[in-house]
Amino acid sequence: MTSFPAASPRLSKAVVTQTLMPPFAAELLATLSVHAQYVLHGNVRDDHLVADVLDDGGRRNRALPLVELLWEGLQRAGYKCLLRYDPVDGFDVLRSHDGLDMNTVLQRNTRRLPGRSNEQGGGQVARVIESFSKGWAGERPGPPQDHPRYDDYQRPVPAALLVDYASRIPTQVNQLSDDERTFFLHCLRTAERATAFPRPKTGRELFNPVIWLADGERDLPAWLVTSSVRVRSIGVPLPDLGQRRRMAALLAARAGAPHNDRELDVGPLLKDAVRESPTDEDVERFARAASGLTLRAMRESMRLARARRIPFAEMDQAVRVYELGVSRNPWTGGAVAESIRDGEAYIGGRVQGQEKAVTQTLDVLKRAALGLSGAQASSASVHRPRGVLFFAGPTGTGKTELAKAVATTLFGSEDACLRFDMSEFSAPHSADRLVGAPPGYVGYEAGGELTRAVREDPFRVVLFDEIDKADKGVLDKFLQVLEDGRLTDGQGVTTYFSECVLIFTSNLGVHGPSGTDGRPLSSRGGQERLPETPEERARFEREILGNVRHHFEHTLKRPELLNRLGGNIVVFQYIDEPTAHRIFKGQLSNIVAHMERQGGLRLRVLPEAEKVLADACTRDRHNGGRGIGMKLETHLINPLARGVFDLGVDLTPGTVVTVSRVTLHPDGRVDLALDAEPAERPQQRRPAW
């Protein structure tokens, strides 16, 4: 920061000896003798902190809008006026003193009243900017020529001009129209021809600066910023943790104030509010919760907290409401914890044969419900997802089913599980589908599928199925989500994942590490004995974890992504024989219920036929429950459909179809012995037609 002469004391009896400005403002004010135009880009709509150093050794922080901040520094440098131009209202006078009638000057130059934009062409605006850079010498109203102060009015006016909403001036910055190109070229030429004027008090020769306020550095033509040494580009960053601490301390000082604070504009206290005494821990928690927010957003969060009677000690909750836009939070109040208690049996019954995986998953959910995710870190990010899980293991063992069960347990419905099949994101640049295309590309207006869905409902289980099939660019996005808990889409809108549970699934763990044959362990010859004993299952789990680590570190070269997953990798085992038979019975019951629901036919499978089917469907357990379903389709559903059609009887609702025998042929054909017993129908007169 750069010091300036003392300003008049405010809100304190101590005398201000110097004022410390933010680095970007200090850079601008220190180079007014070198540059005629500036492009301030980035966080230009925010408040900014100024520190007054007092003669008693203390400091007083103040939060100022950008206009007030610049005007305070420009006054000390000898400027008399601050003007503004924006594409809607045209030119107007923001600040002026010493009796300068700048409105009259603007009227003479624009031939209209300031503040009205009709009939305002780009060429006329460029000419006004050019006249302004010359100081409007002799163009402002003053005394006649024989008056003693006549010469004072012939000198240039020391003024600064803000070009507000500069990002909205060009329609497309890469495809300027002829008028837009001429306008910016005129402004560039004005910068080259500008003249510095001596200041009466300091004697420094300073330009009348034109300060463009843009959202991004690339929102203006690149050649305007880079073609001339007279034009300087300065970034305005988001506040860091230190600045957020100072702002939080300012807001904390007003938390118990019995009056409205005009400087911070945090609103008056409610009549029945209790004056608070925030602690340093409260201030620190507020500052860390506001990571990624502007100082103005912190102030608005304070206003929100006062409106909702949220005490300062719980400002992190107010920040969550401000970020997410919803006040409903199922994670608080014990609702989710109660759902987890009630859902333990439900999850265990829905996912068969994976007791250890279910237990590990429930541990992560319980930790998330208590808000302990990442609690071991000294500076845990408040934006990180509530829970992160990586399901690895053979296909058909219940990974996707467990993710849906988690969504049902936490949020009451499978619809709360937002599923992305990552095989659809294997092409380069497919990450744009998740977060939205950059400006200028097809699909920019639509936004991202992931970011849009999470903003609509931030309380979700987000399932990324078969993550090993995703492009590496997609994995980089996941790294950002796991670390910071937020993503900024192509339109500049930030989406927070702090209330989500993220689940990744993959069967890459059953593949050998890179450099081997690359085939699944379960398919090398197809004759391996599946792990059955506890020792074999433990060894299989170690192999899975080792192969997953090898894949991230050597194949993907993303060890940092594996580190973000930590100990949340859950290994699914091959299903054992009792589990396979339970799955078979469940799927057979589903077929029976589906036939009755869809066509009214009642299916009955006799024990002898069921045993043949069970032996055939559960003989090979390498493909898990999904493999059992495929066997049921080929051994029961297909021949059943064929046989029902071949019966040639009137299959009315209520007809009982009995499977008495199943015959398996060596060539793979399956024949069923079927009987159909028509339902008894009450006698009724047949219609005449």
Side-chain angles (χ1 to χ4, degrees):
M1 293 188 176
T2 303
S3 61
F4 288 91
S8 58
R10 297 175 58 193
L11 305 176
S12 174
K13 295 181 179 180
V15 178
V16 179
T17 59
Q18 62 180 5
T19 299
L20 304 179
M21 307 287 281
F24 77 90
E27 179 183 353
L28 186 150
L29 296 170
T31 57
L32 289 170
S33 60
V34 181
H35 305 292
Q37 295 187 22
Y38 296 86
V39 178
L40 293 185
H41 57 89
N43 190 29
V44 296
R45 304 290 165 199
D46 197 9
D47 293 340
H48 303 277
L49 289 170
V50 172
D52 294 326
V53 181
L54 308 178
D55 59 356
D56 59 3
R59 290 195 179 189
R60 183 182 64 205
N61 291 314
R62 292 179 289 135
L64 301 177
L66 183 63
V67 170
E68 296 293 339
L69 174 72
L70 293 177
W71 177 234
E72 189 167 308
L74 290 169
Q75 284 186 95
R76 294 193 182 98
Y79 287 86
K80 305 294 185 183
C81 180
L82 180 62
L83 309 177
R84 176 178 60 188
Y85 169 79
D86 71 65
V88 176
D89 293 331
F91 290 92
D92 64 335
V93 180
L94 290 179
R95 302 289 185 272
S96 181
H97 62 74
D98 286 355
L100 290 177
D101 186 6
M102 296 308 299
N103 280 316
T104 303
V105 176
L106 287 176
Q107 291 177 27
R108 290 180 177 180
N109 280 270
T110 60
R111 304 184 188 281
R112 63 173 183 82
L113 290 175
R116 302 178 63 181
S117 59
N118 54 327
E119 299 181 357
Q120 178 70 10
Q124 185 178 6
V125 174
R127 285 191 294 271
V128 174
I129 294 176
E130 182 178 15
S131 179
F132 158 81
S133 68
K134 297 177 182 178
W136 281 321
E139 296 187 14
R140 57 193 174 111
Q145 190 170 0
D146 56 354
H147 194 278
R149 295 193 58 194
Y150 173 78
D151 291 341
D152 293 340
Y153 283 81
Q154 304 307 306
R155 296 191 182 97
V157 179
L161 171 64
L162 297 180
V163 181
D164 209 353
Y165 300 101
S167 298
R168 303 296 171 257
I169 294 178
T171 306
Q172 290 188 4
V173 70
N174 295 324
Q175 298 180 2
L176 298 176
S177 66
D178 292 341
D179 290 341
E180 291 171 343
R181 187 179 296 103
T182 301
F183 167 74
F184 285 113
L185 182 58
H186 198 153
C187 293
L188 178 61
R189 189 182 65 177
T190 297
E192 284 292 320
R193 296 180 178 180
T195 310
F197 311 117
R199 297 301 184 253
K201 294 182 180 179
T202 63
R204 295 176 62 196
E205 291 190 349
L206 305 179
F207 289 98
N208 273 7
V210 177
I211 305 173
W212 305 79
L213 302 182
D215 299 330
E217 187 176 14
R218 299 181 179 180
D219 292 347
L220 296 176
W223 48 266
L224 174 69
V225 182
T226 60
S227 297
S228 174
V229 295
R230 291 285 181 83
V231 182
R232 187 183 187 97
S233 176
I234 301 177
V236 183
L238 286 170
D240 56 22
L241 179 58
Q243 292 170 322
R244 297 198 305 275
R245 283 196 186 107
R246 292 161 59 195
M247 186 64 175
L250 272 179
L251 295 171
R254 273 74 178 182
H259 57 80
N260 183 28
D261 191 304
R262 294 181 179 179
E263 181 178 322
L264 291 176
D265 188 25
V266 294
L269 281 174
L270 301 173
K271 292 182 179 180
D272 57 348
V274 178
R275 295 184 64 177
E276 302 178 71
S277 300
T279 64
D280 293 341
E281 290 77 9
D282 297 335
V283 170
E284 180 70 14
R285 187 161 52 249
F286 182 17
R288 291 190 178 277
S291 175
L293 294 185
T294 64
L295 299 185
R296 181 171 292 182
M298 292 181 66
R299 186 183 65 190
E300 294 303 317
S301 298
M302 182 73 173
R303 291 169 62 87
L304 179 78
R306 289 194 170 188
R308 294 177 177 267
R309 293 179 170 85
I310 300 175
F312 192 89
E314 299 178 9
M315 277 303 301
D316 54 338
Q317 298 302 321
V319 170
R320 284 182 182 271
V321 175
Y322 179 85
E323 290 176 337
L324 301 175
V326 293
S327 56
R328 175 185 65 89
N329 190 348
W331 291 105
T332 60
V336 168
E338 192 64 29
S339 298
I340 293 174
R341 292 190 191 97
D342 297 339
E344 288 195 50
Y346 164 74
I347 294 179
R350 183 165 175 176
V351 181
Q352 300 282 334
Q354 303 293 341
E355 289 77 12
K356 184 177 180 180
V358 169
T359 300
Q360 286 183 266
T361 301
L362 288 171
D363 287 344
V364 172
L365 298 184
K366 293 172 183 177
R367 183 180 69 196
L370 295 175
L372 296 177
S373 298
Q376 72 280 3
S378 59
S379 58
S381 172
V382 296
H383 296 298
R384 286 178 181 171
R386 282 277 179 170
V388 177
L389 288 159
F390 187 98
F391 293 163
T395 182
T397 52
K399 299 188 292 295
T400 304
E401 192 71 15
L402 181 54
K404 294 178 179 179
V406 167
T408 304
T409 300
L410 294 180
F411 305 119
S413 171
E414 276 192 17
D415 294 337
C417 181
L418 178 64
R419 179 178 178 271
F420 290 92
D421 187 343
M422 301 316 295
S423 62
E424 300 177 6
F425 296 86
S426 59
H429 308 296
S430 56
D432 292 345
R433 283 184 54 192
L434 293 176
V435 300
Y441 287 80
V442 175
Y444 165 69
E445 298 82 2
E449 296 177 18
L450 172 62
T451 52
R452 185 174 63 249
V454 172
R455 281 199 304 272
E456 291 173 356
D457 185 2
F459 301 99
R460 286 195 159 179
V461 171
V462 186
L463 172 62
F464 301 102
D465 225 350
E466 305 294 344
I467 186 61
D468 53 299
K469 298 178 181 177
D471 180 66
K472 291 185 177 181
V474 176
L475 299 180
D476 293 335
K477 298 298 181 183
F478 293 147
L479 181 64
Q480 184 178 347
V481 173
L482 295 175
E483 178 64 23
D484 300 327
R486 58 177 179 255
L487 278 177
T488 301
D489 62 18
Q491 297 176 331
V493 180
T494 300
T495 301
Y496 297 92
F497 293 80
S498 55
E499 310 304 327
C500 293
V501 173
L502 305 184
I503 299 180
F504 304 89
T505 74
S506 174
N507 59 5
L508 62 85
V510 296
H511 290 263
S514 301
T516 66
D517 58 8
R519 291 181 295 161
L521 295 174
S522 59
S523 66
R524 294 178 186 171
Q527 301 298 325
E528 298 87 348
R529 188 174 65 87
L530 297 183
E532 302 289 351
T533 66
E535 293 77 11
E536 291 174 340
R537 294 169 77 87
R539 183 168 58 251
F540 177 76
E541 181 175 345
R542 290 194 298 270
E543 290 178 355
I544 293 272
L545 293 174
N547 291 340
V548 169
R549 177 171 295 278
H550 190 281
H551 181 81
F552 277 100
E553 292 180 349
H554 299 282
T555 305
L556 297 179
K557 293 181 171 50
R558 293 289 191 278
E560 65 278 8
L561 184 57
L562 181 65
N563 289 337
R564 299 301 187 279
L565 297 172
N568 297 329
I569 301 177
V570 178
V571 176
F572 284 65
Q573 297 281 347
Y574 286 106
I575 60 175
D576 56 20
E577 189 170 346
T579 300
H581 281 276
R582 289 198 300 269
I583 293 174
F584 167 80
K585 283 186 173 294
Q587 294 186 358
L588 181 60
S589 299
N590 292 339
I591 296 172
V592 172
H594 190 79
M595 283 190 65
E596 187 166 3
R597 185 170 57 249
Q598 291 294 321
L601 302 181
R602 298 173 58 189
L603 177 65
R604 185 175 62 174
V605 181
L606 297 183
E608 181 183 350
E610 183 176 334
K611 183 179 184 306
V612 174
L613 283 173
D615 291 343
C617 293
T618 61
R619 185 177 299 116
D620 183 3
R621 292 179 276 116
H622 288 89
N623 291 321
R626 189 174 291 114
I628 294 174
M630 291 186 296
K631 288 289 187 180
L632 266 173
E633 187 175 83
T634 57
H635 287 64
L636 176 61
I637 296 178
N638 291 344
L640 176 63
R642 180 176 67 247
V644 167
F645 270 89
D646 292 344
L647 285 175
V649 297
D650 187 9
L651 299 177
T652 58
T655 299
V656 178
V657 177
T658 302
V659 179
S660 58
R661 187 177 67 256
V662 177
T663 304
L664 305 179
H665 297 280
D667 60 357
R669 289 184 299 109
V670 180
D671 290 330
L672 304 181
L674 298 179
D675 287 321
E677 183 180 345
E680 294 184 2
R681 291 179 294 182
Q683 294 183 355
Q684 57 183 356
R685 295 186 61 183
R686 299 178 62 88
W689 46 268

